[in-house]
Amino acid sequence: MFQPFVTFLEQYGYLAVALLVAVEGLGIPISGGAAVVAAGTFAARGTLNVFGVIIAATLGAFVGSTISYLIGRRGGRALVERYGHWIRLDAAKLAKTESYYARHGVRTIFFGRYIAPIRVFGGLLAGMARMPLASFLVVNIIGAAVWAATWSALGYAIGRNISVMSEGLIEIAIAVGVFVCVWLFVRWLRNRRQR
């Protein structure tokens, strides 16, 4: 299932990272975060450079969200009014969202990078709420850089420690399995006594 995704990353490297993250920022819910983590693991193996991954992810996130913002600013309201029902966004929710972005847009764009729906639709909604372009661009590039560095570093750490993690995961899985079995048995005993 993930093999075409991995092959695409291996073949096109930084361009693939930037493209996948940009497409997500345009409002197409693909996992840009997973692409960055995967690229970080490739960097740990020496296939890519972790700083190159951070730069590619930052640029992709910035470009995708900025285009989404411009779409939202120019004609996003009509677009959402027509197709918003697909994402359960009606007129009342749209008005609340715009009001929220007017008050908390900067924080939402920055921290929303870590929340998939906001990462996907945040630029569009900020544009629709008429968030000032200069504010959006500044927080968008800073947020994109911090987010890209976080997920790249996570992928890099996973790639460097995969053998240690796999040993630890087996032990954790066994412990969780034993805990679940004991918990289910205790519950069964309690239910039986209550009858």
Side-chain angles (χ1 to χ4, degrees):
M1 179 174 151
F2 293 106
Q3 191 55 42
F5 177 75
V6 171
T7 304
F8 182 64
L9 274 173
E10 285 177 333
Q11 255 183 334
Y12 298 102
Y14 307 115
L15 179 63
V17 173
L19 187 63
L20 289 167
V21 173
V23 166
E24 181 184 52
L26 286 169
I28 299 169
I30 64 168
S31 188
V36 178
V37 171
T41 63
F42 292 163
R45 292 189 321 206
T47 310
L48 297 171
N49 179 290
V50 71
F51 296 109
V53 172
I54 292 169
I55 291 167
T58 300
L59 290 174
F62 177 76
V63 169
S65 294
T66 301
I67 292 171
S68 182
Y69 170 90
L70 294 172
I71 291 169
R73 193 161 177 113
R74 296 225 167 100
R77 179 168 262 291
L79 189 69
V80 171
E81 285 174 353
R82 185 168 183 176
Y83 299 108
H85 64 279
W86 289 356
I87 57 170
R88 297 179 184 201
L89 190 61
D90 57 20
K93 287 180 185 173
L94 182 58
K96 284 182 183 176
T97 301
E98 288 177 329
S99 173
Y100 180 83
Y101 268 84
R103 291 188 320 273
H104 307 290
V106 169
R107 281 183 295 216
T108 303
I109 294 299
F110 183 84
F111 293 110
R113 288 253 171 233
Y114 294 94
I115 304 166
I118 297 173
R119 189 169 62 244
V120 173
F121 300 110
L124 180 74
L125 295 171
M128 288 171 45
R130 299 283 189 211
M131 184 178 176
L133 179 61
S135 299
F136 176 80
L137 291 176
V138 170
V139 77
N140 189 26
I141 192 68
I142 294 170
V146 171
W147 173 82
T150 303
W151 292 117
S152 298
L154 176 65
Y156 190 82
I158 290 169
R160 296 288 282 184
N161 298 297
I162 196 75
S163 60
V164 174
M165 288 172 60
S166 62
E167 290 172 14
L169 288 176
I170 291 169
E171 292 170 4
I172 290 170
I174 291 169
V176 168
V178 168
F179 175 78
V180 168
C181 288
V182 169
W183 180 75
L184 288 172
F185 180 72
V186 168
R187 257 188 94 163
W188 176 78
L189 280 177
R190 282 185 186 165
N191 288 340
R192 190 166 179 205
R193 285 182 186 163
Q194 287 176 354
R195 287 183 202 155

